[in-house]
Amino acid sequence: MVAVALVGLGDIGRGAHLPALLRSPDVRLVAVADPVAAHREAVEALVGADVVVGASLDDALGAGPDGVVLATPPWATPELAIAALRAGRFVLAEKPVATSVAAAAVYSALTDAERGRLQIGLTYRHDPALARLKTWIDDGVLGGPLLVRAHVYDEPRVAGDAEHLARMRRTLEHGTPVVHEGAHVFDWLAHLLGPGALTVDDAWSLRTDPGLPAPNLTGARLRHPGGHQVLVEFGWLTDALPRCELTFLGPRGLATLDGSTFALRLATAAGEETAEFPGDRTTRDFDLQVARFAALVRGAADRPDPDLAAGLAALALAEQVATQGVTA
Ligand SMILES: NC(=O)c1ccc[n+]([C@@H]2O[C@H](COP(=O)([O-])OP(=O)(O)OC[C@H]3O[C@@H](n4cnc5c(N)ncnc54)[C@H](O)[C@@H]3O)[C@@H](O)[C@H]2O)c1
């Protein structure tokens, strides 16, 4: 078992990383850390008495972990990741890798060996639904070229949940939804559509409430060198949201990926089929992610997957969409 510390005990730290680390047969949790006392108190009863509960990365490193999971906001993650890597540890860092390409420039000082110890939390890349979808695309089941539509709407404004609204406002201060959600979606598209970078044709954004720190709805039209046309939309913080869904339409078929569950549907002239995978998407993919991270730490995997380059590529594309959308 590899010794792991979890730093950042907010929504995703407590809700997904901690349960996945506690469930994992590959991992022994040795420390958790967060500067917010209430966040530490919320996990104290869940972790064993032998787990160090600290306020900082340094406290967590003091417990001697082989690896550190950073479930921290993207404005804090780069500095923490670099410090943990420099301390000789393996790091699984949440996406996005930074809030901008300029802020991500600090990663360029990493040595190759340090980069080789940094896995990025592009969690859903590991889902079997994406592997199945890739097979359909690569085997020509849909034909081509494809019209891809990604409608990613997953954070409604919840009346009465002041904590959620405050967190989402804080996140918006550091970029429109494409910077945060695009990290995942552009990574999936790079993985699914294959070689060649997506380029942005045009982009848009809309702020539905003038009190919000940034536009909460945004989207773009992109082109893939394989001839595919891609339409993406990202949205948060309206009382109701459109369906969260990705569709891949080719001359021979239509594949639909439910953006929340990752249930898949395929429609072709031969009929319809569905593919659903065991368990809920979060449990399934955080478990797979921890298993990959543990394999990297043990030396059973020779490189991080996904790596920093994947995180930087998704961030650069998201930033292009954000910039063009705001100035359009
Ligand atoms: N992979 C996924 O599916 C997924 C899902 C949701 C969120 N995320 C990402 O996870 C990150 C965190 O999101 P969240 O919603 O949990 O945010 P959050 O604000 O709820 O939690 C972040 C936590 O990090 C702590 N923190 C801040 N600075 C710190 C520091 N220097 N040292 C230690 N802890 C520090 C905060 O106190 C807070 O508890 C974001 O980058 C977000 O995009 C990923």
Side-chain angles (χ1 to χ4, degrees), residues 34 41 118 139 141 146 168 175 184 194 197 204 210 231 249 255 269 279 296 317 322:
D34 197 294
E41 281 156 22
L118 174 57
D139 292 353
V141 173
L146 298 171
M168 296 314 295
H184 284 305
W204 56 269
L231 307 175
L249 177 65
L296 181 70
L317 193 53

Side-chain angles (χ1 to χ4, degrees), residues 7 10-12 34-36 39 72-74 94-95 121 123-124 167 184:
V7 175
D11 192 55
I12 203 71
D34 197 294
V36 178
H39 293 184
T72 44
E94 262 302 348
K95 50 52 66 176
T123 316
Y124 307 108
R167 180 159 51 84
H184 284 305

Side-chain angles (χ1 to χ4, degrees), residues 6-17 33-37 39-40 54-57 70-77 79-80 93-97 121-124 154-155 163 167-168 170-171 179-181 183-184 236 281-282 286 289:
L6 171 61
V7 175
L9 302 171
D11 192 55
I12 203 71
R14 291 203 306 270
H17 285 288
D34 197 294
V36 178
H39 293 184
R40 297 195 296 274
S56 66
L57 172 67
L70 294 175
T72 44
W75 48 95
T77 301
E79 190 190 331
L80 296 169
E94 262 302 348
K95 50 52 66 176
V97 292
L122 294 163
T123 316
Y124 307 108
D154 66 352
E155 296 281 359
E163 192 280 328
R167 180 159 51 84
M168 296 314 295
R170 223 166 32 240
T171 307
V179 172
H180 306 280
E181 309 282 9
H184 284 305
W236 291 341
R281 181 182 79 146
T282 303
F286 275 79
Q289 178 171 260

